[in-house]
Coordinates of all heavy atoms in Angstrom, one line a residue:
M1 N -84.3 -83.2 158.4 CA -82.8 -83.2 158.5 C -82.2 -83.6 157.2 O -82.6 -84.6 156.6 CB -82.4 -84.1 159.7 CG -80.9 -84.2 159.8 SD -80.3 -85.4 161.0 CE -80.8 -84.6 162.5
T2 N -81.3 -82.8 156.7 CA -80.7 -83.2 155.4 C -79.6 -84.2 155.7 O -79.1 -84.4 156.8 CB -80.0 -81.9 154.8 OG1 -79.0 -81.5 155.6 CG2 -81.0 -80.8 154.6
L3 N -79.3 -84.9 154.6 CA -78.2 -85.9 154.7 C -76.9 -85.3 155.2 O -76.2 -85.8 156.0 CB -78.1 -86.6 153.4 CG -76.9 -87.6 153.3 CD1 -77.1 -88.8 154.3 CD2 -76.8 -88.2 151.9
I4 N -76.6 -84.1 154.6 CA -75.4 -83.4 154.9 C -75.3 -83.1 156.4 O -74.3 -83.3 157.1 CB -75.2 -82.2 154.1 CG1 -74.8 -82.6 152.6 CG2 -74.1 -81.3 154.7 CD1 -74.6 -81.5 151.7
Q5 N -76.4 -82.6 157.0 CA -76.5 -82.3 158.4 C -76.3 -83.6 159.2 O -75.6 -83.6 160.2 CB -77.8 -81.7 158.7 CG -77.9 -81.2 160.2 CD -76.9 -80.1 160.5 OE1 -76.7 -79.1 159.7 NE2 -76.1 -80.3 161.5
W6 N -76.9 -84.7 158.8 CA -76.8 -85.9 159.5 C -75.3 -86.4 159.6 O -74.8 -86.8 160.6 CB -77.6 -87.0 158.8 CG -77.5 -88.4 159.6 CD1 -78.2 -88.8 160.6 CD2 -76.6 -89.4 159.3 NE1 -77.9 -90.0 161.0 CE2 -76.9 -90.5 160.2 CE3 -75.6 -89.6 158.3 CZ2 -76.1 -91.6 160.2 CZ3 -74.9 -90.8 158.3 CH2 -75.2 -91.8 159.2
V7 N -74.6 -86.3 158.4 CA -73.2 -86.6 158.4 C -72.4 -85.7 159.3 O -71.5 -86.2 160.0 CB -72.7 -86.6 156.9 CG1 -71.2 -86.7 156.9 CG2 -73.3 -87.6 156.0
A8 N -72.7 -84.4 159.2 CA -72.0 -83.5 160.1 C -72.2 -83.8 161.5 O -71.3 -83.5 162.4 CB -72.4 -82.1 159.7
D9 N -73.3 -84.3 161.9 CA -73.6 -84.6 163.3 C -72.9 -85.9 163.9 O -72.8 -86.1 165.1 CB -75.1 -84.8 163.5 CG -75.8 -83.4 163.5 OD1 -75.1 -82.4 163.6 OD2 -77.0 -83.4 163.3
Q10 N -72.4 -86.7 163.0 CA -71.8 -87.9 163.4 C -70.4 -87.7 164.0 O -69.7 -86.7 163.5 CB -71.6 -88.9 162.2 CG -73.0 -89.3 161.6 CD -74.0 -89.7 162.6 OE1 -73.8 -90.7 163.3 NE2 -75.1 -89.0 162.6
S11 N -70.0 -88.5 164.9 CA -68.7 -88.3 165.5 C -67.6 -88.9 164.5 O -68.0 -89.8 163.7 CB -68.6 -89.0 166.8 OG -68.7 -90.4 166.7
D12 N -66.4 -88.4 164.7 CA -65.3 -89.0 163.8 C -65.2 -90.5 164.0 O -65.0 -91.2 163.1 CB -64.0 -88.3 164.2 CG -63.9 -86.9 163.7 OD1 -64.8 -86.5 162.9 OD2 -63.0 -86.2 164.1
E13 N -65.4 -90.9 165.3 CA -65.2 -92.4 165.6 C -66.2 -93.2 164.8 O -66.0 -94.3 164.5 CB -65.3 -92.6 167.1 CG -64.1 -92.1 167.9 CD -64.2 -90.5 168.0 OE1 -65.3 -89.9 167.9 OE2 -63.1 -89.9 168.2
S14 N -67.4 -92.7 164.6 CA -68.5 -93.5 164.0 C -68.3 -93.4 162.4 O -68.8 -94.3 161.8 CB -69.9 -93.0 164.3 OG -70.1 -91.7 163.8
L15 N -67.6 -92.5 161.9 CA -67.4 -92.4 160.5 C -66.1 -93.0 160.0 O -66.0 -93.5 158.9 CB -67.4 -90.9 160.1 CG -68.8 -90.2 160.2 CD1 -68.6 -88.7 159.8 CD2 -69.8 -90.9 159.3
F16 N -65.1 -92.9 160.8 CA -63.8 -93.3 160.4 C -63.2 -94.4 161.3 O -63.4 -94.4 162.5 CB -62.8 -92.1 160.3 CG -63.3 -90.9 159.5 CD1 -63.7 -89.8 160.1 CD2 -63.3 -91.0 158.1 CE1 -64.2 -88.7 159.4 CE2 -63.8 -90.0 157.4 CZ -64.3 -88.8 158.0
K17 N -62.4 -95.2 160.6 CA -61.7 -96.2 161.4 C -60.2 -96.0 161.2 O -59.7 -96.0 160.0 CB -62.1 -97.7 160.9 CG -61.4 -98.8 161.7 CD -61.7 -100.1 161.1 CE -61.0 -101.2 161.8 NZ -61.3 -102.5 161.2
I18 N -59.5 -95.7 162.2 CA -58.1 -95.3 162.1 C -57.3 -96.5 162.6 O -57.4 -96.9 163.8 CB -57.8 -94.0 162.9 CG1 -58.6 -92.9 162.3 CG2 -56.3 -93.7 162.8 CD1 -58.5 -91.6 163.1
E19 N -56.4 -97.0 161.8 CA -55.5 -98.0 162.2 C -54.2 -98.0 161.4 O -54.2 -97.4 160.3 CB -56.2 -99.4 162.0 CG -56.6 -99.7 160.6 CD -57.4 -101.0 160.4 OE1 -57.6 -101.7 161.4 OE2 -57.8 -101.3 159.3
S20 N -53.2 -98.6 161.9 CA -51.9 -98.5 161.2 C -51.9 -99.6 160.1 O -52.6 -100.6 160.3 CB -50.7 -98.8 162.2 OG -50.9 -100.0 162.8
R21 N -51.2 -99.3 159.0 CA -51.2 -100.3 158.0 C -49.9 -101.2 158.1 O -48.8 -100.7 158.1 CB -51.1 -99.6 156.6 CG -52.4 -98.8 156.3 CD -52.2 -98.0 155.0 NE -51.8 -98.8 153.9 CZ -51.3 -98.4 152.8 NH1 -51.1 -97.1 152.6 NH2 -50.9 -99.2 151.8
P22 N -50.1 -102.5 158.3 CA -49.0 -103.4 158.4 C -48.0 -103.3 157.2 O -48.5 -103.3 156.1 CB -49.6 -104.8 158.5 CG -51.0 -104.5 158.8 CD -51.4 -103.2 158.3
G23 N -46.8 -103.1 157.5 CA -45.8 -103.1 156.5 C -45.6 -101.7 155.8 O -44.8 -101.6 154.9
F24 N -46.4 -100.8 156.2 CA -46.3 -99.4 155.5 C -45.1 -98.7 156.1 O -45.0 -98.6 157.3 CB -47.6 -98.6 155.7 CG -47.5 -97.3 155.2 CD1 -47.7 -97.1 153.8 CD2 -47.3 -96.2 156.0 CE1 -47.6 -95.8 153.3 CE2 -47.3 -94.9 155.5 CZ -47.4 -94.7 154.1
V25 N -44.3 -98.2 155.2 CA -43.1 -97.4 155.6 C -43.3 -96.0 155.0 O -43.4 -95.8 153.8 CB -41.8 -98.0 155.1 CG1 -40.6 -97.2 155.5 CG2 -41.7 -99.4 155.6
F26 N -43.3 -95.0 155.9 CA -43.4 -93.6 155.4 C -42.1 -93.1 155.0 O -41.1 -93.1 155.7 CB -44.0 -92.7 156.5 CG -44.0 -91.3 156.2 CD1 -44.9 -90.8 155.2 CD2 -43.1 -90.4 156.8 CE1 -44.9 -89.5 154.9 CE2 -43.1 -89.0 156.5 CZ -44.0 -88.6 155.5
T27 N -42.0 -92.6 153.7 CA -40.8 -92.0 153.2 C -41.1 -90.6 152.9 O -41.8 -90.3 151.9 CB -40.3 -92.8 152.0 OG1 -41.4 -93.0 151.1 CG2 -39.6 -94.1 152.3
P28 N -40.5 -89.6 153.7 CA -40.8 -88.2 153.4 C -40.3 -87.8 152.1 O -39.3 -88.3 151.6 CB -40.1 -87.5 154.6 CG -39.4 -88.6 155.3 CD -39.6 -89.9 154.8
V29 N -41.0 -86.8 151.5 CA -40.5 -86.3 150.2 C -39.2 -85.5 150.5 O -39.0 -84.9 151.5 CB -41.5 -85.3 149.6 CG1 -41.0 -84.6 148.4 CG2 -42.8 -86.0 149.4
E30 N -38.2 -85.7 149.5 CA -37.0 -85.1 149.7 C -37.1 -83.6 149.8 O -37.8 -83.0 149.0 CB -36.0 -85.4 148.5 CG -34.6 -84.9 148.7 CD -33.7 -85.3 147.6 OE1 -34.1 -86.3 146.9 OE2 -32.7 -84.7 147.4
G31 N -36.5 -83.0 150.8 CA -36.7 -81.5 151.1 C -36.2 -80.7 149.9 O -35.2 -81.0 149.3
S32 N -36.9 -79.6 149.7 CA -36.6 -78.7 148.6 C -35.7 -77.6 149.1 O -35.3 -76.7 148.4 CB -37.8 -78.1 147.9 OG -38.6 -77.5 148.9
F33 N -35.3 -77.6 150.4 CA -34.5 -76.6 151.0 C -33.1 -77.1 151.3 O -32.4 -76.4 152.1 CB -35.2 -75.9 152.2 CG -36.4 -75.2 151.8 CD1 -37.7 -75.8 152.1 CD2 -36.4 -74.0 151.1 CE1 -38.8 -75.1 151.8 CE2 -37.6 -73.4 150.8 CZ -38.8 -73.9 151.1
N34 N -32.7 -78.3 150.8 CA -31.4 -78.7 151.0 C -30.4 -77.8 150.4 O -30.7 -77.3 149.3 CB -31.2 -80.1 150.5 CG -32.0 -81.2 151.2 OD1 -32.4 -80.9 152.4 ND2 -32.3 -82.3 150.6
K35 N -29.3 -77.5 151.0 CA -28.3 -76.6 150.4 C -26.9 -77.2 150.5 O -26.6 -78.0 151.3 CB -28.4 -75.2 151.0 CG -28.3 -75.2 152.5 CD -28.8 -73.8 153.0 CE -28.6 -73.6 154.5 NZ -28.9 -74.7 155.4
T36 N -26.1 -76.7 149.6 CA -24.7 -77.1 149.4 C -23.8 -75.9 149.4 O -24.2 -74.9 148.9 CB -24.6 -77.9 148.1 OG1 -25.5 -79.0 148.2 CG2 -23.2 -78.5 148.0
L37 N -22.6 -76.0 149.9 CA -21.7 -74.9 149.9 C -21.0 -74.9 148.5 O -20.5 -75.9 148.0 CB -20.6 -75.1 150.9 CG -20.8 -74.5 152.3 CD1 -19.6 -74.8 153.2 CD2 -21.0 -73.0 152.2
C38 N -21.0 -73.7 147.9 CA -20.3 -73.5 146.7 C -18.8 -73.6 147.0 O -18.3 -73.0 147.9 CB -20.5 -72.1 146.1 SG -19.5 -71.6 144.7
S39 N -18.1 -74.4 146.2 CA -16.7 -74.7 146.5 C -15.8 -73.5 146.0 O -14.6 -73.5 146.3 CB -16.2 -75.9 145.7 OG -16.3 -75.8 144.3
E40 N -16.4 -72.5 145.3 CA -15.6 -71.4 144.9 C -15.7 -70.2 145.8 O -14.7 -69.7 146.4 CB -16.1 -71.0 143.5 CG -15.3 -69.9 142.8 CD -13.9 -70.4 142.4 OE1 -13.8 -71.6 142.1 OE2 -13.0 -69.6 142.3
C41 N -16.9 -69.8 146.1 CA -17.1 -68.5 146.9 C -17.6 -68.9 148.3 O -17.6 -68.0 149.2 CB -18.1 -67.6 146.2 SG -19.8 -68.2 146.2
G42 N -18.0 -70.1 148.6 CA -18.4 -70.5 149.9 C -19.8 -70.1 150.3 O -20.2 -70.2 151.4
E43 N -20.6 -69.6 149.3 CA -22.0 -69.3 149.6 C -22.8 -70.6 149.6 O -22.5 -71.5 148.8 CB -22.5 -68.4 148.5 CG -21.9 -67.0 148.5 CD -22.5 -66.1 149.6 OE1 -23.6 -66.4 150.0 OE2 -21.9 -65.0 149.9
Y44 N -23.9 -70.6 150.4 CA -24.8 -71.7 150.3 C -25.7 -71.6 149.1 O -26.1 -70.5 148.7 CB -25.7 -71.7 151.5 CG -25.1 -72.4 152.7 CD1 -24.7 -71.7 153.9 CD2 -24.9 -73.8 152.6 CE1 -24.1 -72.4 154.9 CE2 -24.3 -74.5 153.7 CZ -23.9 -73.8 154.8 OH -23.3 -74.4 155.9
V45 N -25.9 -72.7 148.4 CA -26.7 -72.7 147.2 C -27.8 -73.8 147.4 O -27.5 -74.9 147.9 CB -25.9 -73.1 146.0 CG1 -26.6 -72.8 144.7 CG2 -24.5 -72.5 146.0
F46 N -29.0 -73.4 147.1 CA -30.1 -74.5 147.1 C -29.7 -75.5 146.1 O -29.3 -75.2 145.0 CB -31.4 -73.8 146.8 CG -32.0 -73.0 147.9 CD1 -32.3 -71.7 147.7 CD2 -32.2 -73.6 149.2 CE1 -32.8 -70.9 148.8 CE2 -32.7 -72.8 150.2 CZ -33.0 -71.5 150.0
D47 N -30.0 -76.8 146.5 CA -29.5 -77.9 145.6 C -29.9 -77.8 144.2 O -29.2 -78.2 143.3 CB -29.9 -79.2 146.3 CG -28.9 -79.6 147.4 OD1 -28.0 -78.9 147.6 OD2 -29.2 -80.7 148.0
R48 N -31.1 -77.3 144.0 CA -31.6 -77.3 142.6 C -30.9 -76.3 141.7 O -31.0 -76.3 140.5 CB -33.1 -77.1 142.6 CG -33.5 -75.7 143.2 CD -35.0 -75.5 143.0 NE -35.4 -75.4 141.5 CZ -36.4 -74.7 141.1 NH1 -37.2 -74.1 141.9 NH2 -36.6 -74.7 139.8
Y49 N -30.1 -75.4 142.4 CA -29.3 -74.4 141.6 C -27.9 -74.7 141.6 O -27.1 -74.0 141.0 CB -29.6 -73.0 142.2 CG -31.0 -72.6 142.1 CD1 -31.8 -72.3 143.2 CD2 -31.6 -72.4 140.8 CE1 -33.1 -71.9 143.1 CE2 -32.9 -72.0 140.7 CZ -33.7 -71.8 141.9 OH -35.0 -71.4 141.8
V50 N -27.5 -75.8 142.3 CA -26.0 -76.2 142.3 C -25.6 -76.7 140.9 O -26.3 -77.4 140.2 CB -25.8 -77.3 143.3 CG1 -24.4 -77.8 143.2 CG2 -25.9 -76.7 144.7
R51 N -24.5 -76.2 140.4 CA -23.9 -76.7 139.2 C -22.6 -77.4 139.5 O -21.8 -76.9 140.3 CB -23.6 -75.5 138.2 CG -24.8 -74.7 137.9 CD -25.7 -75.5 137.0 NE -26.9 -74.7 136.6 CZ -28.1 -74.8 137.2 NH1 -28.2 -75.6 138.3 NH2 -29.1 -74.1 136.8
M52 N -22.4 -78.6 138.9 CA -21.2 -79.4 139.1 C -20.2 -79.0 138.0 O -20.6 -79.0 136.8 CB -21.5 -80.9 139.1 CG -22.5 -81.3 140.2 SD -21.9 -80.9 141.9 CE -20.6 -82.1 142.0
K53 N -19.0 -78.7 138.4 CA -18.0 -78.3 137.5 C -16.7 -79.0 138.0 O -16.2 -78.7 139.1 CB -17.8 -76.8 137.4 CG -17.0 -76.4 136.2 CD -17.0 -74.9 136.0 CE -16.3 -74.4 134.8 NZ -16.4 -72.9 134.7
D54 N -16.1 -79.9 137.1 CA -14.9 -80.6 137.5 C -15.1 -81.4 138.9 O -14.3 -81.4 139.7 CB -13.7 -79.7 137.7 CG -13.4 -79.0 136.4 OD1 -13.6 -79.6 135.3 OD2 -12.9 -77.8 136.4
G55 N -16.3 -81.8 139.1 CA -16.7 -82.6 140.2 C -16.9 -81.8 141.5 O -17.0 -82.3 142.6
K56 N -16.9 -80.4 141.4 CA -17.1 -79.6 142.5 C -18.4 -78.8 142.4 O -18.8 -78.4 141.3 CB -16.0 -78.6 142.6 CG -14.6 -79.2 142.9 CD -13.5 -78.1 142.9 CE -12.2 -78.7 143.1 NZ -11.1 -77.7 143.0
P57 N -19.1 -78.7 143.5 CA -20.4 -78.0 143.5 C -20.1 -76.5 143.4 O -19.3 -75.9 144.1 CB -21.0 -78.3 144.8 CG -19.9 -78.7 145.7 CD -18.8 -79.3 144.9
L58 N -20.8 -75.8 142.5 CA -20.7 -74.3 142.3 C -22.0 -73.7 142.3 O -23.0 -74.2 141.8 CB -19.9 -74.0 141.0 CG -18.5 -74.5 140.9 CD1 -18.0 -74.2 139.4 CD2 -17.6 -73.7 141.8
C59 N -22.0 -72.4 142.8 CA -23.3 -71.6 142.6 C -23.3 -71.2 141.2 O -22.4 -71.3 140.4 CB -23.3 -70.4 143.6 SG -22.0 -69.2 143.3
I60 N -24.5 -70.7 140.8 CA -24.6 -70.3 139.4 C -23.7 -69.2 138.9 O -23.0 -69.4 137.9 CB -26.1 -69.9 139.1 CG1 -27.0 -71.1 139.2 CG2 -26.3 -69.2 137.8 CD1 -28.5 -70.9 139.0
P61 N -23.5 -68.1 139.7 CA -22.5 -67.1 139.2 C -21.1 -67.7 139.1 O -20.4 -67.4 138.1 CB -22.5 -66.1 140.4 CG -23.8 -66.2 141.0 CD -24.2 -67.7 140.9
C62 N -20.6 -68.6 140.0 CA -19.3 -69.2 139.9 C -19.2 -70.2 138.7 O -18.1 -70.4 138.2 CB -18.9 -69.8 141.2 SG -18.6 -68.7 142.6
S63 N -20.3 -70.8 138.4 CA -20.2 -71.8 137.3 C -20.3 -71.1 135.9 O -20.1 -71.8 134.9 CB -21.4 -72.8 137.5 OG -22.6 -72.1 137.1
G64 N -20.6 -69.8 135.9 CA -20.8 -69.1 134.6 C -22.2 -69.0 134.3 O -22.9 -70.0 133.9
Y65 N -22.8 -67.9 134.7 CA -24.3 -67.8 134.6 C -24.8 -68.0 133.2 O -25.8 -68.7 133.0 CB -24.7 -66.4 135.1 CG -26.2 -66.2 135.3 CD1 -26.9 -67.1 136.2 CD2 -26.9 -65.3 134.6 CE1 -28.3 -66.9 136.3 CE2 -28.2 -65.1 134.7 CZ -28.9 -65.9 135.6 OH -30.3 -65.8 135.7
A66 N -24.1 -67.5 132.2 CA -24.6 -67.6 130.8 C -24.7 -69.0 130.4 O -25.7 -69.5 129.8 CB -23.7 -66.8 129.9
N67 N -23.7 -69.8 130.7 CA -23.7 -71.3 130.4 C -24.9 -72.0 131.1 O -25.6 -72.8 130.5 CB -22.4 -71.9 130.8 CG -21.3 -71.6 129.9 OD1 -21.6 -71.2 128.7 ND2 -20.1 -71.8 130.3
A68 N -25.1 -71.6 132.4 CA -26.2 -72.3 133.1 C -27.5 -72.0 132.4 O -28.4 -72.8 132.4 CB -26.2 -71.7 134.5
R69 N -27.7 -70.8 131.9 CA -29.0 -70.5 131.3 C -29.1 -71.2 129.9 O -30.2 -71.8 129.7 CB -29.0 -69.0 131.0 CG -29.2 -68.2 132.3 CD -29.4 -66.7 132.0 NE -30.7 -66.5 131.4 CZ -31.1 -65.3 131.0 NH1 -30.4 -64.2 131.1 NH2 -32.3 -65.1 130.4
T70 N -28.1 -71.3 129.1 CA -28.2 -72.0 127.8 C -28.4 -73.4 128.0 O -29.0 -74.1 127.2 CB -27.0 -71.7 126.9 OG1 -25.8 -72.0 127.7 CG2 -27.0 -70.2 126.5
L71 N -27.9 -74.0 129.2 CA -28.1 -75.4 129.4 C -29.5 -75.7 129.9 O -29.9 -76.9 130.1 CB -27.1 -75.9 130.4 CG -25.6 -76.0 130.0 CD1 -24.7 -76.3 131.1 CD2 -25.5 -77.0 128.8
G72 N -30.2 -74.7 130.1 CA -31.6 -74.9 130.5 C -31.8 -75.3 132.0 O -32.9 -75.8 132.4
G73 N -30.7 -75.2 132.8 CA -30.7 -75.7 134.1 C -31.8 -75.2 135.0 O -32.2 -75.6 136.0
Ligands
LIG1 ZN1 -20.0 -69.5 144.2

């Protein structure tokens, strides 16, 4: 019997000990599908593409697409 076969034959309970970690707080990664309404045309925009102009969220076309590109956004 190979070592790998022996390991494969063991039950999960004999190989792993599962317990909660005291004081551990799970913080989910911020979602990448959050979206915001463009204040100009009312279209939903994924947050990573939202452009702020005069304090208002805008989609890329409403914010001026050329500027958005040169800003490296
Ligand atoms: Zn827009």
Side-chain angles (χ1 to χ4, degrees):
M1 179 185 288
T2 64
L3 176 60
I4 288 179
Q5 186 61 51
W6 180 85
V7 171
D9 286 344
Q10 303 307 302
S11 67
D12 288 349
E13 291 74 23
S14 68
L15 290 177
F16 304 108
K17 182 183 180 187
I18 300 173
E19 59 186 358
S20 57
R21 293 173 56 194
F24 176 77
V25 179
F26 174 69
T27 44
V29 178
E30 188 176 337
S32 56
F33 295 106
N34 292 340
K35 52 194 186 318
T36 301
L37 270 180
C38 172
S39 63
E40 187 71 27
C41 68
E43 292 278 347
Y44 276 112
V45 195
F46 288 122
D47 278 359
R48 60 175 296 208
Y49 297 115
V50 168
R51 299 291 179 264
M52 298 303 288
K53 194 172 184 181
D54 302 326
K56 294 176 181 175
L58 293 173
C59 67
I60 288 178
C62 290
S63 71
Y65 188 61
N67 283 344
R69 289 186 68 182
T70 52
L71 289 173

